[in-house]
Amino acid sequence: KNEVEQSPQNLTAQEGEFITINCSYSVGISALHWLQQHPGGGIVSLFMLSSGKKKHGRLIATINIQEKHSSLHITASHPRDSAVYICAVRDMDSNYQLIWGAGTKLIIKP
Amino acid sequence: DAGVIQSPRHEVTEMGQEVTLRCKPISGHNSLFWYRQTMMRGLELLIYFNNNVPIDDSGMPEDRFSAKMPNASFSTLKIQPSEPRDSAVYFCASTLGTGLGNEQFFGPGTRLTVL
Protein backbone atom coordinates (compact mmCIF):
# COMPACT_ATOMS: atom_id res chain seq x y z
CA LYS A 1 0.00 0.00 0.00
CA ASN A 2 1.34 3.42 -0.93
CA GLU A 3 2.00 5.75 1.96
CA VAL A 4 0.43 8.66 0.07
CA GLU A 5 -2.59 8.09 -2.09
CA GLN A 6 -4.32 10.64 -4.26
CA SER A 7 -7.74 10.52 -5.83
CA PRO A 8 -8.84 10.76 -8.48
CA GLN A 9 -5.90 9.90 -10.72
CA ASN A 10 -7.48 11.75 -13.61
CA LEU A 11 -10.16 14.40 -13.61
CA THR A 12 -11.79 16.19 -16.52
CA ALA A 13 -14.23 19.01 -15.84
CA GLN A 14 -15.87 21.95 -17.52
CA GLU A 15 -14.72 25.50 -17.00
CA GLY A 16 -16.35 27.00 -13.94
CA GLU A 17 -16.79 23.76 -12.02
CA PHE A 18 -15.69 23.34 -8.41
CA ILE A 19 -12.80 20.89 -8.24
CA THR A 20 -11.74 18.69 -5.33
CA ILE A 21 -8.60 16.58 -5.25
CA ASN A 22 -7.99 14.31 -2.26
CA CYS A 23 -4.86 13.07 -0.55
CA SER A 24 -4.69 10.39 2.15
CA TYR A 25 -1.55 9.30 3.93
CA SER A 26 -0.60 6.61 6.39
CA VAL A 27 2.53 7.97 8.10
CA GLY A 28 2.94 10.54 10.83
CA ILE A 29 3.74 13.83 9.19
CA SER A 30 5.10 17.21 10.11
CA ALA A 31 3.75 18.95 7.02
CA LEU A 32 1.89 18.34 3.80
CA HIS A 33 2.63 20.03 0.49
CA TRP A 34 0.47 20.59 -2.55
CA LEU A 35 2.37 21.20 -5.76
CA GLN A 36 1.35 21.93 -9.32
CA GLN A 37 3.16 20.67 -12.38
CA HIS A 38 2.24 22.12 -15.75
CA PRO A 39 2.59 20.27 -19.06
CA GLY A 40 5.89 22.08 -19.62
CA GLY A 41 7.24 20.27 -16.57
CA GLY A 42 7.90 23.05 -14.07
CA ILE A 43 6.88 22.41 -10.48
CA VAL A 44 5.28 25.13 -8.40
CA SER A 45 4.68 24.88 -4.70
CA LEU A 46 1.06 25.83 -3.94
CA PHE A 47 0.63 25.22 -0.23
CA MET A 48 2.41 23.87 2.77
CA LEU A 49 0.07 22.81 5.57
CA SER A 50 0.48 21.43 9.03
CA SER A 51 -3.06 22.10 10.23
CA GLY A 52 -6.32 23.76 9.30
CA LYS A 53 -6.90 25.52 6.05
CA LYS A 54 -5.13 27.86 3.66
CA LYS A 55 -6.48 29.94 0.79
CA HIS A 56 -4.73 31.57 -2.12
CA GLY A 57 -6.87 33.09 -4.81
CA ARG A 58 -9.18 30.39 -6.14
CA LEU A 59 -7.25 27.63 -4.43
CA ILE A 60 -8.10 26.27 -1.00
CA ALA A 61 -6.25 23.53 0.85
CA THR A 62 -7.44 21.80 3.99
CA ILE A 63 -5.94 19.16 6.20
CA ASN A 64 -7.36 16.90 8.90
CA ILE A 65 -4.46 15.54 10.90
CA GLN A 66 -6.59 13.06 12.87
CA GLU A 67 -8.04 11.56 9.72
CA LYS A 68 -4.73 11.83 7.81
CA HIS A 69 -6.44 13.47 4.90
CA SER A 70 -6.06 16.63 2.89
CA SER A 71 -8.07 18.18 0.08
CA LEU A 72 -7.21 20.72 -2.57
CA HIS A 73 -10.15 22.71 -3.93
CA ILE A 74 -10.30 24.93 -6.99
CA THR A 75 -13.23 27.30 -7.29
CA ALA A 76 -14.42 28.64 -10.65
CA SER A 77 -12.00 26.39 -12.51
CA HIS A 78 -10.33 27.66 -15.67
CA PRO A 79 -8.51 25.89 -18.51
CA ARG A 80 -5.23 27.35 -17.26
CA ASP A 81 -5.72 25.26 -14.09
CA SER A 82 -5.07 22.17 -16.22
CA ALA A 83 -2.01 20.52 -14.69
CA VAL A 84 -0.90 17.64 -12.53
CA TYR A 85 -1.48 18.29 -8.84
CA ILE A 86 0.84 16.46 -6.49
CA CYS A 87 0.47 15.85 -2.77
CA ALA A 88 3.63 15.24 -0.78
CA VAL A 89 4.02 14.64 2.95
CA ARG A 90 7.02 15.19 5.14
CA ASP A 91 7.63 12.07 7.20
CA MET A 92 7.90 12.88 10.92
CA ASP A 93 10.89 10.59 11.20
CA SER A 94 12.84 12.60 8.68
CA ASN A 95 13.11 16.36 8.39
CA TYR A 96 13.99 16.11 4.77
CA GLN A 97 12.33 13.19 3.12
CA LEU A 98 9.19 13.98 1.19
CA ILE A 99 6.90 11.10 0.31
CA TRP A 100 5.11 11.85 -2.94
CA GLY A 101 1.69 10.94 -4.17
CA ALA A 102 1.30 9.81 -7.77
CA GLY A 103 -0.42 13.01 -8.79
CA THR A 104 -3.85 13.91 -10.14
CA LYS A 105 -4.03 14.96 -13.76
CA LEU A 106 -6.64 17.72 -14.10
CA ILE A 107 -8.04 18.87 -17.43
CA ILE A 108 -10.43 21.80 -17.52
CA LYS A 109 -12.32 22.13 -20.78
CA PRO A 110 -13.53 25.53 -21.99
CA ASP B 1 15.07 36.89 -6.73
CA ALA B 2 15.22 34.80 -9.90
CA GLY B 3 14.32 31.63 -8.07
CA VAL B 4 16.21 28.38 -8.38
CA ILE B 5 18.15 28.32 -11.63
CA GLN B 6 19.02 25.11 -13.45
CA SER B 7 21.07 24.53 -16.56
CA PRO B 8 20.87 23.25 -19.12
CA ARG B 9 17.10 23.07 -19.57
CA HIS B 10 17.43 20.25 -22.06
CA GLU B 11 20.28 17.83 -22.63
CA VAL B 12 20.51 15.11 -25.24
CA THR B 13 23.53 12.88 -25.13
CA GLU B 14 24.72 9.48 -26.19
CA MET B 15 25.12 6.51 -23.93
CA GLY B 16 28.50 6.50 -22.25
CA GLN B 17 28.97 10.25 -22.24
CA GLU B 18 29.42 12.30 -19.11
CA VAL B 19 26.54 14.59 -18.20
CA THR B 20 26.75 17.51 -15.76
CA LEU B 21 23.63 19.26 -14.48
CA ARG B 22 23.92 22.57 -12.68
CA CYS B 23 21.86 24.31 -10.04
CA LYS B 24 21.95 27.72 -8.41
CA PRO B 25 19.74 27.85 -5.30
CA ILE B 26 17.85 30.88 -4.09
CA SER B 27 20.23 33.27 -2.41
CA GLY B 28 20.22 32.75 1.35
CA HIS B 29 18.82 29.23 1.23
CA ASN B 30 21.06 26.74 2.96
CA SER B 31 19.51 23.42 1.97
CA LEU B 32 19.58 22.05 -1.56
CA PHE B 33 17.89 18.96 -2.98
CA TRP B 34 18.30 17.00 -6.21
CA TYR B 35 15.27 15.06 -7.47
CA ARG B 36 14.67 12.83 -10.46
CA GLN B 37 11.26 12.43 -12.07
CA THR B 38 10.27 9.59 -14.38
CA MET B 39 6.93 8.28 -15.51
CA MET B 40 7.57 4.95 -13.86
CA ARG B 41 8.88 6.06 -10.49
CA GLY B 42 7.51 9.57 -10.07
CA LEU B 43 9.63 12.01 -8.08
CA GLU B 44 12.61 10.56 -6.23
CA LEU B 45 14.96 12.37 -3.88
CA LEU B 46 18.53 11.67 -4.95
CA ILE B 47 20.58 13.68 -2.48
CA TYR B 48 20.33 16.74 -0.27
CA PHE B 49 22.86 19.17 1.11
CA ASN B 50 22.71 21.36 4.18
CA ASN B 51 25.24 24.18 4.46
CA ASN B 52 27.07 22.69 1.46
CA VAL B 53 27.52 19.32 3.18
CA PRO B 54 25.85 16.19 1.76
CA ILE B 55 23.49 14.92 4.44
CA ASP B 56 21.85 11.94 2.78
CA ASP B 57 22.78 10.46 -0.58
CA SER B 58 20.92 7.20 -0.11
CA GLY B 59 18.71 8.06 -3.08
CA MET B 60 21.60 8.19 -5.51
CA PRO B 61 20.97 5.22 -7.79
CA GLU B 62 24.55 4.01 -8.21
CA ASP B 63 28.18 5.01 -8.39
CA ARG B 64 27.71 6.55 -11.79
CA PHE B 65 25.94 9.43 -10.05
CA SER B 66 27.79 12.03 -8.02
CA ALA B 67 26.85 15.43 -6.65
CA LYS B 68 28.87 18.31 -5.30
CA MET B 69 28.17 21.63 -3.68
CA PRO B 70 31.43 23.59 -3.61
CA ASN B 71 29.76 26.71 -2.25
CA ALA B 72 26.40 28.03 -1.11
CA SER B 73 25.39 29.23 -4.55
CA PHE B 74 26.22 26.30 -6.80
CA SER B 75 25.70 22.57 -7.05
CA THR B 76 26.32 19.97 -9.73
CA LEU B 77 24.91 16.52 -10.40
CA LYS B 78 27.13 14.41 -12.61
CA ILE B 79 26.38 11.14 -14.38
CA GLN B 80 29.35 9.23 -15.75
CA PRO B 81 28.90 7.18 -17.83
CA SER B 82 25.31 7.95 -18.75
CA GLU B 83 22.83 5.23 -19.73
CA PRO B 84 19.45 5.39 -21.51
CA ARG B 85 17.66 4.54 -18.25
CA ASP B 86 18.97 7.79 -16.80
CA SER B 87 16.62 9.69 -19.11
CA ALA B 88 14.38 11.75 -16.84
CA VAL B 89 13.69 15.26 -15.65
CA TYR B 90 16.08 16.30 -12.91
CA PHE B 91 14.87 18.95 -10.48
CA CYS B 92 16.84 20.99 -8.04
CA ALA B 93 15.10 22.60 -5.06
CA SER B 94 16.26 24.80 -2.23
CA THR B 95 14.93 25.84 1.15
CA LEU B 96 15.91 27.97 4.09
CA GLY B 97 16.88 26.23 7.28
CA THR B 98 16.43 22.64 8.32
CA GLY B 99 13.30 22.88 10.38
CA LEU B 100 10.30 20.64 10.08
CA GLY B 101 8.16 21.17 7.04
CA ASN B 102 10.13 23.92 5.36
CA GLU B 103 8.77 24.76 1.93
CA GLN B 104 11.00 23.80 -0.96
CA PHE B 105 11.32 25.97 -4.04
CA PHE B 106 11.86 24.08 -7.25
CA GLY B 107 13.88 24.96 -10.29
CA PRO B 108 12.48 24.49 -13.80
CA GLY B 109 14.19 21.14 -14.21
CA THR B 110 16.62 19.68 -16.73
CA ARG B 111 15.15 17.23 -19.21
CA LEU B 112 17.83 14.64 -19.92
CA THR B 113 17.63 12.24 -22.82
CA VAL B 114 20.30 9.59 -23.15
CA LEU B 115 20.26 7.87 -26.52
mmCIF file of all heavy atoms in Angstrom, chain B residues 25-62:
data_model
loop_
_atom_site.group_PDB
_atom_site.id
_atom_site.type_symbol
_atom_site.label_atom_id
_atom_site.label_comp_id
_atom_site.label_asym_id
_atom_site.label_seq_id
_atom_site.Cartn_x
_atom_site.Cartn_y
_atom_site.Cartn_z
ATOM 1 N N PRO B 25 20.892 27.704 -6.204
ATOM 2 C CA PRO B 25 19.737 27.849 -5.302
ATOM 3 C C PRO B 25 19.382 29.308 -5.085
ATOM 4 O O PRO B 25 20.133 30.206 -5.488
ATOM 5 C CB PRO B 25 20.233 27.209 -4.007
ATOM 6 C CG PRO B 25 21.721 27.414 -4.034
ATOM 7 C CD PRO B 25 22.109 27.333 -5.484
ATOM 8 N N ILE B 26 18.252 29.522 -4.451
ATOM 9 C CA ILE B 26 17.846 30.876 -4.093
ATOM 10 C C ILE B 26 18.845 31.429 -3.077
ATOM 11 O O ILE B 26 19.224 30.721 -2.127
ATOM 12 C CB ILE B 26 16.421 30.884 -3.538
ATOM 13 C CG1 ILE B 26 15.430 30.555 -4.667
ATOM 14 C CG2 ILE B 26 16.077 32.219 -2.892
ATOM 15 C CD1 ILE B 26 13.997 30.395 -4.215
ATOM 16 N N SER B 27 19.251 32.650 -3.284
ATOM 17 C CA SER B 27 20.227 33.272 -2.407
ATOM 18 C C SER B 27 19.735 33.269 -0.964
ATOM 19 O O SER B 27 18.594 33.664 -0.670
ATOM 20 C CB SER B 27 20.480 34.717 -2.866
ATOM 21 O OG SER B 27 21.383 35.364 -1.996
ATOM 22 N N GLY B 28 20.597 32.796 -0.062
ATOM 23 C CA GLY B 28 20.225 32.749 1.350
ATOM 24 C C GLY B 28 19.703 31.394 1.795
ATOM 25 O O GLY B 28 19.676 31.104 2.996
ATOM 26 N N HIS B 29 19.266 30.574 0.859
ATOM 27 C CA HIS B 29 18.815 29.231 1.227
ATOM 28 C C HIS B 29 20.026 28.363 1.543
ATOM 29 O O HIS B 29 21.048 28.433 0.851
ATOM 30 C CB HIS B 29 18.011 28.610 0.087
ATOM 31 C CG HIS B 29 16.626 29.133 -0.009
ATOM 32 N ND1 HIS B 29 15.677 28.585 -0.859
ATOM 33 C CD2 HIS B 29 15.999 30.144 0.645
ATOM 34 C CE1 HIS B 29 14.540 29.242 -0.725
ATOM 35 N NE2 HIS B 29 14.713 30.201 0.174
ATOM 36 N N ASN B 30 19.914 27.533 2.567
ATOM 37 C CA ASN B 30 21.064 26.742 2.964
ATOM 38 C C ASN B 30 20.857 25.240 2.829
ATOM 39 O O ASN B 30 21.690 24.458 3.271
ATOM 40 C CB ASN B 30 21.485 27.095 4.401
ATOM 41 C CG ASN B 30 20.386 26.829 5.405
ATOM 42 O OD1 ASN B 30 19.246 26.552 5.036
ATOM 43 N ND2 ASN B 30 20.714 26.906 6.676
ATOM 44 N N SER B 31 19.720 24.838 2.261
ATOM 45 C CA SER B 31 19.514 23.420 1.969
ATOM 46 C C SER B 31 19.185 23.267 0.495
ATOM 47 O O SER B 31 18.397 24.047 -0.058
ATOM 48 C CB SER B 31 18.379 22.832 2.814
ATOM 49 O OG SER B 31 18.763 22.746 4.170
ATOM 50 N N LEU B 32 19.774 22.263 -0.125
ATOM 51 C CA LEU B 32 19.577 22.045 -1.562
ATOM 52 C C LEU B 32 19.303 20.580 -1.806
ATOM 53 O O LEU B 32 19.926 19.707 -1.202
ATOM 54 C CB LEU B 32 20.817 22.481 -2.342
ATOM 55 C CG LEU B 32 20.749 22.380 -3.876
ATOM 56 C CD1 LEU B 32 21.457 23.564 -4.519
ATOM 57 C CD2 LEU B 32 21.325 21.066 -4.368
ATOM 58 N N PHE B 33 18.359 20.317 -2.709
ATOM 59 C CA PHE B 33 17.889 18.960 -2.977
ATOM 60 C C PHE B 33 17.966 18.683 -4.477
ATOM 61 O O PHE B 33 17.620 19.543 -5.285
ATOM 62 C CB PHE B 33 16.431 18.797 -2.526
ATOM 63 C CG PHE B 33 16.188 19.165 -1.092
ATOM 64 C CD1 PHE B 33 16.101 20.490 -0.693
ATOM 65 C CD2 PHE B 33 16.035 18.181 -0.131
ATOM 66 C CE1 PHE B 33 15.875 20.840 0.619
ATOM 67 C CE2 PHE B 33 15.802 18.520 1.194
ATOM 68 C CZ PHE B 33 15.724 19.840 1.573
ATOM 69 N N TRP B 34 18.377 17.473 -4.827
ATOM 70 C CA TRP B 34 18.297 16.999 -6.215
ATOM 71 C C TRP B 34 17.252 15.892 -6.285
ATOM 72 O O TRP B 34 17.293 14.931 -5.505
ATOM 73 C CB TRP B 34 19.641 16.444 -6.688
ATOM 74 C CG TRP B 34 20.647 17.491 -7.089
ATOM 75 C CD1 TRP B 34 21.722 17.930 -6.367
ATOM 76 C CD2 TRP B 34 20.690 18.205 -8.320
ATOM 77 N NE1 TRP B 34 22.418 18.872 -7.067
ATOM 78 C CE2 TRP B 34 21.808 19.063 -8.278
ATOM 79 C CE3 TRP B 34 19.895 18.202 -9.474
ATOM 80 C CZ2 TRP B 34 22.150 19.910 -9.330
ATOM 81 C CZ3 TRP B 34 20.238 19.043 -10.521
ATOM 82 C CH2 TRP B 34 21.354 19.886 -10.446
ATOM 83 N N TYR B 35 16.314 16.048 -7.243
ATOM 84 C CA TYR B 35 15.267 15.065 -7.473
ATOM 85 C C TYR B 35 15.342 14.567 -8.906
ATOM 86 O O TYR B 35 15.803 15.267 -9.807
ATOM 87 C CB TYR B 35 13.877 15.677 -7.275
ATOM 88 C CG TYR B 35 13.526 16.075 -5.873
ATOM 89 C CD1 TYR B 35 13.782 17.367 -5.412
ATOM 90 C CD2 TYR B 35 12.901 15.183 -5.007
ATOM 91 C CE1 TYR B 35 13.427 17.747 -4.127
ATOM 92 C CE2 TYR B 35 12.550 15.564 -3.718
ATOM 93 C CZ TYR B 35 12.819 16.843 -3.297
ATOM 94 O OH TYR B 35 12.473 17.224 -2.025
ATOM 95 N N ARG B 36 14.815 13.374 -9.108
ATOM 96 C CA ARG B 36 14.669 12.826 -10.457
ATOM 97 C C ARG B 36 13.203 12.437 -10.643
ATOM 98 O O ARG B 36 12.608 11.848 -9.744
ATOM 99 C CB ARG B 36 15.567 11.602 -10.644
ATOM 100 C CG ARG B 36 15.416 10.913 -11.991
ATOM 101 C CD ARG B 36 16.455 9.833 -12.170
ATOM 102 N NE ARG B 36 16.243 8.692 -11.302
ATOM 103 C CZ ARG B 36 16.985 7.583 -11.354
ATOM 104 N NH1 ARG B 36 17.982 7.498 -12.225
ATOM 105 N NH2 ARG B 36 16.748 6.590 -10.532
ATOM 106 N N GLN B 37 12.646 12.773 -11.790
ATOM 107 C CA GLN B 37 11.257 12.426 -12.073
ATOM 108 C C GLN B 37 11.161 11.602 -13.341
ATOM 109 O O GLN B 37 11.638 12.012 -14.402
ATOM 110 C CB GLN B 37 10.382 13.677 -12.217
ATOM 111 C CG GLN B 37 8.902 13.367 -12.388
ATOM 112 C CD GLN B 37 8.053 14.605 -12.534
ATOM 113 O OE1 GLN B 37 8.464 15.580 -13.162
ATOM 114 N NE2 GLN B 37 6.868 14.591 -11.953
ATOM 115 N N THR B 38 10.549 10.434 -13.221
ATOM 116 C CA THR B 38 10.268 9.590 -14.379
ATOM 117 C C THR B 38 8.804 9.168 -14.332
ATOM 118 O O THR B 38 8.155 9.242 -13.285
ATOM 119 C CB THR B 38 11.143 8.322 -14.396
ATOM 120 O OG1 THR B 38 10.853 7.564 -13.202
ATOM 121 C CG2 THR B 38 12.620 8.670 -14.409
ATOM 122 N N MET B 39 8.317 8.736 -15.461
ATOM 123 C CA MET B 39 6.928 8.278 -15.509
ATOM 124 C C MET B 39 6.737 7.076 -14.599
ATOM 125 O O MET B 39 5.718 6.939 -13.937
ATOM 126 C CB MET B 39 6.553 7.927 -16.946
ATOM 127 C CG MET B 39 6.425 9.117 -17.857
ATOM 128 S SD MET B 39 4.997 10.116 -17.445
ATOM 129 C CE MET B 39 3.671 9.015 -17.947
ATOM 130 N N MET B 40 7.724 6.202 -14.596
ATOM 131 C CA MET B 40 7.569 4.949 -13.857
ATOM 132 C C MET B 40 7.663 5.141 -12.345
ATOM 133 O O MET B 40 6.905 4.543 -11.583
ATOM 134 C CB MET B 40 8.646 3.952 -14.301
ATOM 135 C CG MET B 40 8.479 3.464 -15.726
ATOM 136 S SD MET B 40 6.979 2.487 -15.915
ATOM 137 C CE MET B 40 7.397 1.065 -14.914
ATOM 138 N N ARG B 41 8.573 5.985 -11.910
ATOM 139 C CA ARG B 41 8.882 6.061 -10.489
ATOM 140 C C ARG B 41 8.453 7.376 -9.835
ATOM 141 O O ARG B 41 8.616 7.553 -8.625
ATOM 142 C CB ARG B 41 10.376 5.852 -10.281
ATOM 143 C CG ARG B 41 10.883 4.503 -10.796
ATOM 144 C CD ARG B 41 12.402 4.478 -10.787
ATOM 145 N NE ARG B 41 12.898 4.393 -9.420
ATOM 146 C CZ ARG B 41 13.190 3.254 -8.811
ATOM 147 N NH1 ARG B 41 13.025 2.113 -9.436
ATOM 148 N NH2 ARG B 41 13.657 3.261 -7.586
ATOM 149 N N GLY B 42 7.917 8.286 -10.644
ATOM 150 C CA GLY B 42 7.511 9.568 -10.075
ATOM 151 C C GLY B 42 8.721 10.369 -9.634
ATOM 152 O O GLY B 42 9.797 10.256 -10.201
ATOM 153 N N LEU B 43 8.549 11.171 -8.590
ATOM 154 C CA LEU B 43 9.628 12.013 -8.076
ATOM 155 C C LEU B 43 10.423 11.256 -7.020
ATOM 156 O O LEU B 43 9.862 10.726 -6.071
ATOM 157 C CB LEU B 43 9.056 13.283 -7.452
ATOM 158 C CG LEU B 43 8.984 14.499 -8.357
ATOM 159 C CD1 LEU B 43 8.063 15.545 -7.779
ATOM 160 C CD2 LEU B 43 10.346 15.092 -8.594
ATOM 161 N N GLU B 44 11.745 11.223 -7.190
ATOM 162 C CA GLU B 44 12.611 10.563 -6.229
ATOM 163 C C GLU B 44 13.660 11.560 -5.731
ATOM 164 O O GLU B 44 14.251 12.288 -6.531
ATOM 165 C CB GLU B 44 13.369 9.404 -6.880
ATOM 166 C CG GLU B 44 12.521 8.345 -7.530
ATOM 167 C CD GLU B 44 13.411 7.377 -8.306
ATOM 168 O OE1 GLU B 44 13.743 7.689 -9.463
ATOM 169 O OE2 GLU B 44 13.758 6.326 -7.761
ATOM 170 N N LEU B 45 13.889 11.553 -4.436
ATOM 171 C CA LEU B 45 14.961 12.369 -3.884
ATOM 172 C C LEU B 45 16.277 11.631 -4.067
ATOM 173 O O LEU B 45 16.428 10.494 -3.642
ATOM 174 C CB LEU B 45 14.726 12.637 -2.402
ATOM 175 C CG LEU B 45 15.818 13.409 -1.673
ATOM 176 C CD1 LEU B 45 15.964 14.812 -2.238
ATOM 177 C CD2 LEU B 45 15.539 13.465 -0.180
ATOM 178 N N LEU B 46 17.231 12.288 -4.711
ATOM 179 C CA LEU B 46 18.534 11.667 -4.954
ATOM 180 C C LEU B 46 19.501 11.974 -3.817
ATOM 181 O O LEU B 46 20.150 11.089 -3.268
ATOM 182 C CB LEU B 46 19.108 12.160 -6.280
ATOM 183 C CG LEU B 46 18.282 11.881 -7.521
ATOM 184 C CD1 LEU B 46 18.952 12.489 -8.755
ATOM 185 C CD2 LEU B 46 18.064 10.389 -7.709
ATOM 186 N N ILE B 47 19.616 13.247 -3.487
ATOM 187 C CA ILE B 47 20.578 13.684 -2.482
ATOM 188 C C ILE B 47 20.168 15.048 -1.981
ATOM 189 O O ILE B 47 19.518 15.813 -2.706
ATOM 190 C CB ILE B 47 22.004 13.746 -3.077
ATOM 191 C CG1 ILE B 47 23.057 14.086 -2.019
ATOM 192 C CG2 ILE B 47 22.073 14.726 -4.243
ATOM 193 C CD1 ILE B 47 24.502 13.946 -2.510
ATOM 194 N N TYR B 48 20.503 15.362 -0.726
ATOM 195 C CA TYR B 48 20.328 16.735 -0.275
ATOM 196 C C TYR B 48 21.540 17.204 0.514
ATOM 197 O O TYR B 48 22.250 16.404 1.122
ATOM 198 C CB TYR B 48 19.035 16.931 0.513
ATOM 199 C CG TYR B 48 18.986 16.242 1.845
ATOM 200 C CD1 TYR B 48 19.507 16.840 3.002
ATOM 201 C CD2 TYR B 48 18.372 15.005 1.974
ATOM 202 C CE1 TYR B 48 19.438 16.212 4.214
ATOM 203 C CE2 TYR B 48 18.306 14.372 3.197
ATOM 204 C CZ TYR B 48 18.835 14.972 4.314
ATOM 205 O OH TYR B 48 18.760 14.338 5.515
ATOM 206 N N PHE B 49 21.764 18.496 0.436
ATOM 207 C CA PHE B 49 22.864 19.170 1.114
ATOM 208 C C PHE B 49 22.302 20.160 2.136
ATOM 209 O O PHE B 49 21.274 20.785 1.902
ATOM 210 C CB PHE B 49 23.713 19.974 0.117
ATOM 211 C CG PHE B 49 24.424 19.151 -0.917
ATOM 212 C CD1 PHE B 49 23.782 18.769 -2.085
ATOM 213 C CD2 PHE B 49 25.748 18.787 -0.739
ATOM 214 C CE1 PHE B 49 24.439 18.031 -3.050
ATOM 215 C CE2 PHE B 49 26.418 18.050 -1.708
ATOM 216 C CZ PHE B 49 25.760 17.666 -2.864
ATOM 217 N N ASN B 50 23.009 20.292 3.238
ATOM 218 C CA ASN B 50 22.709 21.363 4.178
ATOM 219 C C ASN B 50 24.012 22.095 4.475
ATOM 220 O O ASN B 50 24.998 21.446 4.860
ATOM 221 C CB ASN B 50 22.078 20.812 5.452
ATOM 222 C CG ASN B 50 21.796 21.896 6.474
ATOM 223 O OD1 ASN B 50 22.385 21.932 7.548
ATOM 224 N ND2 ASN B 50 20.908 22.794 6.141
ATOM 225 N N ASN B 51 24.013 23.390 4.287
ATOM 226 C CA ASN B 51 25.240 24.178 4.463
ATOM 227 C C ASN B 51 26.401 23.581 3.669
ATOM 228 O O ASN B 51 27.520 23.454 4.175
ATOM 229 C CB ASN B 51 25.587 24.309 5.946
ATOM 230 C CG ASN B 51 24.572 25.146 6.697
ATOM 231 O OD1 ASN B 51 24.013 26.099 6.155
ATOM 232 N ND2 ASN B 51 24.307 24.784 7.941
ATOM 233 N N ASN B 52 26.108 23.201 2.432
ATOM 234 C CA ASN B 52 27.073 22.694 1.456
ATOM 235 C C ASN B 52 27.559 21.277 1.756
ATOM 236 O O ASN B 52 28.401 20.749 1.025
ATOM 237 C CB ASN B 52 28.297 23.615 1.316
ATOM 238 C CG ASN B 52 27.917 25.059 1.141
ATOM 239 O OD1 ASN B 52 26.807 25.380 0.727
ATOM 240 N ND2 ASN B 52 28.827 25.948 1.485
ATOM 241 N N VAL B 53 27.067 20.657 2.799
ATOM 242 C CA VAL B 53 27.523 19.324 3.180
ATOM 243 C C VAL B 53 26.460 18.295 2.786
ATOM 244 O O VAL B 53 25.287 18.480 3.106
ATOM 245 C CB VAL B 53 27.779 19.251 4.695
ATOM 246 C CG1 VAL B 53 28.157 17.833 5.106
ATOM 247 C CG2 VAL B 53 28.854 20.245 5.106
ATOM 248 N N PRO B 54 26.848 17.226 2.091
ATOM 249 C CA PRO B 54 25.852 16.193 1.765
ATOM 250 C C PRO B 54 25.378 15.492 3.031
ATOM 251 O O PRO B 54 26.192 14.981 3.802
ATOM 252 C CB PRO B 54 26.624 15.244 0.837
ATOM 253 C CG PRO B 54 28.060 15.480 1.140
ATOM 254 C CD PRO B 54 28.184 16.892 1.577
ATOM 255 N N ILE B 55 24.061 15.490 3.234
ATOM 256 C CA ILE B 55 23.491 14.918 4.443
ATOM 257 C C ILE B 55 23.019 13.486 4.207
ATOM 258 O O ILE B 55 23.218 12.614 5.034
ATOM 259 C CB ILE B 55 22.329 15.773 4.962
ATOM 260 C CG1 ILE B 55 22.781 17.220 5.204
ATOM 261 C CG2 ILE B 55 21.715 15.160 6.212
ATOM 262 C CD1 ILE B 55 23.872 17.356 6.242
ATOM 263 N N ASP B 56 22.392 13.271 3.076
ATOM 264 C CA ASP B 56 21.853 11.945 2.781
ATOM 265 C C ASP B 56 21.909 11.726 1.279
ATOM 266 O O ASP B 56 21.259 12.454 0.539
ATOM 267 C CB ASP B 56 20.413 11.820 3.280
ATOM 268 C CG ASP B 56 19.850 10.411 3.117
ATOM 269 O OD1 ASP B 56 20.503 9.565 2.472
ATOM 270 O OD2 ASP B 56 18.746 10.151 3.623
ATOM 271 N N ASP B 57 22.694 10.769 0.856
ATOM 272 C CA ASP B 57 22.782 10.459 -0.577
ATOM 273 C C ASP B 57 22.245 9.061 -0.857
ATOM 274 O O ASP B 57 22.594 8.446 -1.867
ATOM 275 C CB ASP B 57 24.214 10.603 -1.086
ATOM 276 C CG ASP B 57 25.161 9.610 -0.427
ATOM 277 O OD1 ASP B 57 24.714 8.870 0.489
ATOM 278 O OD2 ASP B 57 26.331 9.556 -0.828
ATOM 279 N N SER B 58 21.408 8.569 0.036
ATOM 280 C CA SER B 58 20.916 7.199 -0.115
ATOM 281 C C SER B 58 20.024 7.036 -1.339
ATOM 282 O O SER B 58 19.808 5.921 -1.799
ATOM 283 C CB SER B 58 20.152 6.767 1.145
ATOM 284 O OG SER B 58 19.059 7.638 1.377
ATOM 285 N N GLY B 59 19.533 8.136 -1.882
ATOM 286 C CA GLY B 59 18.708 8.057 -3.079
ATOM 287 C C GLY B 59 19.488 8.025 -4.369
ATOM 288 O O GLY B 59 18.907 7.805 -5.440
ATOM 289 N N MET B 60 20.779 8.219 -4.294
ATOM 290 C CA MET B 60 21.599 8.192 -5.511
ATOM 291 C C MET B 60 21.609 6.762 -6.043
ATOM 292 O O MET B 60 22.003 5.834 -5.326
ATOM 293 C CB MET B 60 23.017 8.655 -5.204
ATOM 294 C CG MET B 60 23.072 10.107 -4.750
ATOM 295 S SD MET B 60 22.869 11.262 -6.099
ATOM 296 C CE MET B 60 24.562 11.648 -6.435
ATOM 297 N N PRO B 61 21.212 6.575 -7.298
ATOM 298 C CA PRO B 61 20.975 5.216 -7.788
ATOM 299 C C PRO B 61 22.219 4.331 -7.807
ATOM 300 O O PRO B 61 22.128 3.166 -7.485
ATOM 301 C CB PRO B 61 20.424 5.424 -9.198
ATOM 302 C CG PRO B 61 20.510 6.868 -9.497
ATOM 303 C CD PRO B 61 20.854 7.612 -8.282
ATOM 304 N N GLU B 62 23.347 4.846 -8.162
ATOM 305 C CA GLU B 62 24.547 4.009 -8.213
ATOM 306 C C GLU B 62 25.774 4.909 -8.351
ATOM 307 O O GLU B 62 25.654 6.132 -8.401
ATOM 308 C CB GLU B 62 24.460 3.022 -9.381
ATOM 309 C CG GLU B 62 24.020 3.642 -10.697
ATOM 310 C CD GLU B 62 23.516 2.598 -11.678
ATOM 311 O OE1 GLU B 62 24.367 2.002 -12.366
ATOM 312 O OE2 GLU B 62 22.311 2.376 -11.744
#
